[in-house]
Amino acid sequence: MLASIGGVAAGVYAIYVTQIIGQAKASSVVNPIPFALYCLLCFLFSIHACLSSPLSKTHTIFALGLLGSISAIFLSGVRGIWIALPVVIALVIMLNKRWSLRYKSIFAISVLVILSSLGFYFKDSLEARVAQTKWEFSRISQGNLESSVGWRLGMWEVGYNWVKESPLLGIGYSQIKPKAERDDLNERVRFYITNSHFHNQFIDILVRNGLLGLVIFLFWLLLPAYLLATKAKSHDRALGYSCLAGILIASLTDVPFHHTHIMYTYSFLIGSLLLVNLANPLSEEY
């Protein structure tokens, strides 16, 4: 229920700032990538609530949460989450052993219709982002890295080189700024590294905390997936794995866990899913 309400709020905000105020994407007062990832989690839990609970008046809220969160994802302009969206939907369908092939087909067609309808309605926003992406890759193919994607490639290369200097423990937080100022870097890449991060969760942790820090982070991140695999029913496992897949994909182009609300959302939602399954042990049906 809370995830669906969050999806409704996110959708209202995204539609307001893009369709009424006229912003290019839903990122005028929020960081777009963690916002889009938050919406993806709301979307998945809304789907789960719609399909796993008896039909009632609350399904209206679940459905609105689904529509609101998917609208916000479209309007966020976050390409990494756009890529993650079909992946997580496919996992929900494939990993759910409760559903028959006929039910899976109906679900897949229904989701495709919803996505196509919303994509057509918001086509101006989507086409603008796609055109920008084509332009950026065209510049990269010509050796020009002065674009959003190009700067990311530059940051990842710098991060890879820095990791090799101290692979086990990393170089630490305090060394990031002075090292960036000393090294011969692209000015925009230097700005992002000095003032924010490496735009890749795993590279960022490796640089700052080394392999040891990455192992600890992955243990915390993957532990719920392991517990779900051993304790949860198939439809809950499908939800948990879909959330994890979305987070991993988002982590390739940003650092979602630098934003505490993503940590809280992931921990709270997945933790609640585990508690429900522990309270209702796995049955032979699943």
Side-chain angles (χ1 to χ4, degrees):
M1 176 68 77
L2 291 176
S4 295
I5 293 173
V8 172
V12 170
Y13 159 76
I15 291 172
Y16 174 72
V17 299
T18 58
Q19 308 302 303
I20 297 178
I21 295 181
Q23 295 284 338
K25 53 184 179 179
S27 59
S28 58
V29 296
V30 297
N31 190 310
I33 296 179
F35 170 71
L37 178 56
Y38 167 79
C39 293
L40 183 66
L41 296 178
C42 290
F43 170 73
L44 288 169
F45 271 83
S46 295
I47 287 180
H48 183 267
C50 280
L51 299 177
S52 62
S53 58
L55 188 63
S56 66
K57 293 180 179 179
T58 56
H59 272 67
T60 301
I61 298 176
F62 299 152
L64 289 174
L66 190 157
L67 291 174
S69 55
I70 195 64
S71 298
I73 290 172
F74 278 142
L75 295 173
S76 70
V78 177
R79 293 164 292 195
I81 301 301
W82 290 358
I83 294 172
L85 187 60
V87 174
V88 299
I89 292 173
L91 286 175
V92 168
I93 295 172
M94 292 188 299
L95 296 178
N96 201 320
K97 296 180 180 179
R98 292 180 66 188
W99 298 351
S100 65
L101 181 60
R102 179 173 176 271
Y103 193 88
K104 289 181 179 182
S105 300
I106 293 172
F107 175 75
I109 292 171
S110 300
V111 171
L112 183 60
V113 169
I114 293 172
L115 293 180
S116 300
S117 301
L118 290 173
F120 179 78
Y121 184 77
F122 299 125
K123 67 177 182 177
D124 291 341
S125 298
L126 297 176
E127 287 175 351
R129 193 60 168 157
V130 170
Q132 180 186 354
T133 303
K134 290 180 179 178
W135 174 80
E136 290 184 3
F137 278 103
S138 174
R139 288 170 66 89
I140 291 171
S141 66
Q142 298 169 8
N144 188 332
L145 299 182
E146 294 300 320
S147 64
S148 176
V149 176
W151 294 325
R152 277 176 167 79
L153 293 175
M155 284 183 276
W156 299 343
E157 182 181 12
V158 172
Y160 172 74
N161 291 329
W162 288 7
V163 166
K164 292 188 292 185
E165 297 181 14
S166 182
L168 183 60
L169 298 177
I171 66 173
Y173 283 76
S174 62
Q175 293 302 311
I176 298 292
K177 184 174 181 179
K179 189 167 180 56
E181 292 174 347
R182 288 195 308 267
D183 287 8
D184 182 20
L185 305 179
N186 173 286
E187 285 304 317
R188 196 67 177 177
V189 169
R190 190 197 316 276
F191 171 81
Y192 279 124
I193 290 175
T194 302
N195 293 281
S196 55
H197 45 70
F198 287 84
H199 281 75
N200 179 297
Q201 186 75 69
F202 311 109
I203 292 175
D204 197 79
I205 292 175
L206 280 170
V207 171
R208 299 174 191 275
N209 308 112
L211 185 60
L212 180 61
L214 182 62
V215 169
I216 294 172
F217 168 74
L218 290 176
F219 176 79
W220 171 80
L221 179 66
L222 299 177
L223 180 60
Y226 170 76
L227 294 175
L228 284 169
T230 57
K231 303 293 184 181
K233 303 176 180 66
S234 67
H235 60 293
D236 289 338
R237 288 201 302 271
L239 173 61
Y241 293 160
S242 298
C243 291
L244 180 60
I247 288 170
L248 291 175
I249 293 172
S251 296
L252 296 177
T253 56
D254 200 68
V255 287
F257 289 106
H258 272 218
H259 307 274
T260 53
H261 65 281
I262 292 297
M263 296 186 71
Y264 295 149
T265 300
Y266 175 73
S267 300
F268 174 76
L269 291 178
I270 299 298
S272 299
L273 195 64
L274 282 169
L275 287 175
V276 168
N277 280 275
L278 290 173
N280 300 279
L282 193 65
S283 67
E284 293 182 2
E285 179 185 355
Y286 302 99

